[in-house]
């Protein structure tokens, strides 16, 4: 799980790739995030982001998660140190052309296009040692950072940008009626779209049994984040790991269950699509399964939504040219 490279693509022609095992100056895999821009001749690498504060003794897993919105990118480092603890951190970088609100995105700065500057380091207050904080999502001036480990069952932490500063606003935890255990891993995956946040909890044993998994939706109302509901597959079972990844687009949510064995065998995986009806209730509307799935594909390792399309990664899926276990991405009309 920790060795994956993650991609996030946005419509303005910028691509950020997490490079978790990129070698640093001391021969240790410090990680990085590589920024590409679309040009006339294809994609051009324009910047590499690194964690300059990482110790020389071990990796912080910088690049394990990346997110991009406009000219702001956040990069997670779940093993980053903070004093004597390793709660993890999320780094915010700003690209040239960001921040002035002009229609064309131009900005009065001496920085050239392609130059990115680290502007903040987000460490959730209250996450605890070993929290693995660093997987986050970004929407405008709001970021949600997941912290599935530490001394609790996990949580999400909301940060809000005001001017040049990011401040922690609130903590997202399931409603009181939803039992929480130390191995729920709430916040192991995170999605954010407008006023809705979704936290995966792949270790949750309620309601489908040991490591069946769940996902928790939150809604922002008058500035406060309210626990909305818990999502679970209608045919879920123990060890499905529902919540391996989550995605949001408007009133739809996509949740991976990478170890689900129905219908394609042990650890083949599926992804479940949910929609919010006129009454605001979340309901399962479809199950996404590739036509050529095999056991152990882990379909649902990663998921994404964009408009009417759903994207599901299978870390051990077979490619179109027959390369087994190389990993694949399936595209669905949803």
């Amino acid at each position: 799980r920790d060795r994956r490279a993650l991609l996030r693509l946005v419509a303005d022609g910028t691509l950020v790739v997490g490079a978790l095992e990129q070698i640093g100056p001391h021969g240790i895999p410090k990680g990085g995030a590589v920024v590409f821009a679309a040009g006339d001749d294809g994609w051009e690498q324009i910047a590499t982001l690194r964690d300059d504060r990482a110790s020389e003794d071990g990796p912080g897993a910088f690049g394990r998660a990346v997110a991009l919105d406009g000219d702001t990118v956040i990069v997670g480092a779940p093993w980053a140190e903070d004093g004597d603890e390793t709660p993890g951190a999320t780094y915010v970088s700003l690209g040239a052309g960001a921040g002035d609100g002009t229609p064309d995105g131009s900005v009065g700065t001496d920085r050239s296009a392609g130059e990115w500057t680290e502007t903040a380091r987000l460490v959730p207050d209250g996450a605890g040692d070993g929290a693995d904080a660093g997987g986050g999502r970004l929407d405008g001036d709001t970021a949600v950072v997941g912290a599935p480990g530490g001394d609790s069952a996990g949580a999400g932490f909301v940060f809000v940008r005001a001017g040049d500063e990011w401040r922690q606003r609130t903590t997202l935890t399931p409603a009181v009626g939803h039992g929480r255990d130390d191995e729920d891993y709430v916040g192991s995956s995170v999605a954010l779209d407008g006023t809705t946040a979704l936290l995966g909890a792949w270790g949750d044993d309620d309601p489908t049994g040991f490591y069946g998994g769940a996902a928790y939706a939150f809604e922002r109302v008058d500035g406060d984040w309210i626990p909305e509901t818990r999502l679970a597959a209608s045919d879920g079972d123990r060890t499905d790991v529902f919540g391996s990844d989550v995605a949001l687009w408007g009133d739809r949510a996509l949740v991976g269950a990478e170890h689900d064995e129905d219908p394609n065998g042990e650890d083949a995986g599926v992804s479940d699509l949910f929609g919010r009806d006129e009454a605001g209730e979340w309901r399962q509307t479809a199950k996404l399964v590739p036509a050529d799935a095999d056991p152990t594909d882990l379909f649902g390792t990663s998921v994404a939504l964009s408009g009417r399309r759903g994207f599901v990664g299978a870390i051990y899926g077979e490619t179109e040219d027959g390369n087994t276990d190389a990993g694949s991405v399936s595209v669905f009309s949803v």
Side-chain angles (χ1 to χ4, degrees), residues 16-314:
V16 179
V17 181
L20 182 61
E21 296 191 5
Q22 190 172 57
I23 301 301
H26 302 285
I28 297 174
K30 298 297 185 183
V34 184
V35 184
F36 296 84
D40 295 337
D41 298 323
W43 291 97
E44 176 186 0
Q45 180 177 336
I46 60 172
T48 299
L49 311 180
R50 299 180 183 275
D51 177 9
D52 294 332
R53 307 184 194 187
S55 72
E56 299 180 11
D57 299 328
F62 183 87
R64 178 177 170 185
V66 296
L68 179 66
D69 187 18
D71 285 310
T72 303
V73 63
I74 61 175
V75 182
W79 305 332
E81 298 176 351
D82 191 60
D84 295 331
E85 297 185 339
T86 55
T90 299
Y91 295 80
V92 183
S93 293
L94 196 65
D100 71 343
T102 58
D104 63 356
S106 60
V107 62
T109 176
D110 293 332
R111 289 186 290 128
S112 60
E115 183 176 349
W116 291 73
T117 302
E118 182 183 314
T119 59
R121 184 177 189 263
L122 311 182
V123 180
D125 182 17
D129 191 23
D132 284 349
R137 292 295 178 265
L138 177 69
D139 191 339
D141 291 325
T142 301
V144 176
V145 175
D151 300 326
S152 68
F157 294 84
V158 179
F159 292 83
V160 176
R161 176 168 51 189
D164 296 330
E165 294 186 1
W166 287 85
R167 295 184 179 180
Q168 184 172 324
R169 179 63 58 86
T170 191
T171 302
L172 305 182
T173 57
V176 174
H178 298 151
R180 300 179 65 224
D181 299 318
D182 287 345
E183 294 186 356
D184 282 356
Y185 304 116
V186 176
S188 54
S189 54
V190 180
L192 176 65
D193 187 16
T195 60
T196 305
L198 189 63
L199 302 182
W202 61 262
D204 201 328
D205 60 6
D206 190 7
T208 55
F210 178 73
Y211 280 16
Y216 292 90
F218 300 80
E219 189 70 15
R220 186 175 61 204
V221 179
D222 296 330
D224 295 324
W225 286 90
I226 309 299
E228 191 174 16
T229 191
R230 175 173 57 198
L231 307 185
S234 59
D235 59 348
D237 203 352
R238 65 193 312 274
T239 71
D240 279 353
V241 188
F242 178 92
S244 52
D245 198 17
V246 296
L248 281 170
W249 186 277
D251 288 328
R252 284 175 296 151
L254 186 60
V255 183
E258 63 180 22
H259 288 280
D260 195 326
E261 63 181 23
D262 295 325
N264 293 308
E266 185 176 1
D267 296 336
V270 302
S271 289
D272 295 289
L273 185 67
F274 294 79
R276 191 159 42 188
D277 61 23
E278 294 180 356
E281 299 291 330
W282 287 96
R283 303 185 184 279
Q284 186 174 343
T285 59
K287 183 176 291 290
L288 308 188
V289 181
D292 56 351
D294 294 313
T296 71
D297 276 356
L298 298 185
F299 179 85
T301 295
S302 55
V303 297
L305 286 171
S306 179
R308 303 298 303 181
R309 293 182 296 174
F311 304 83
V312 183

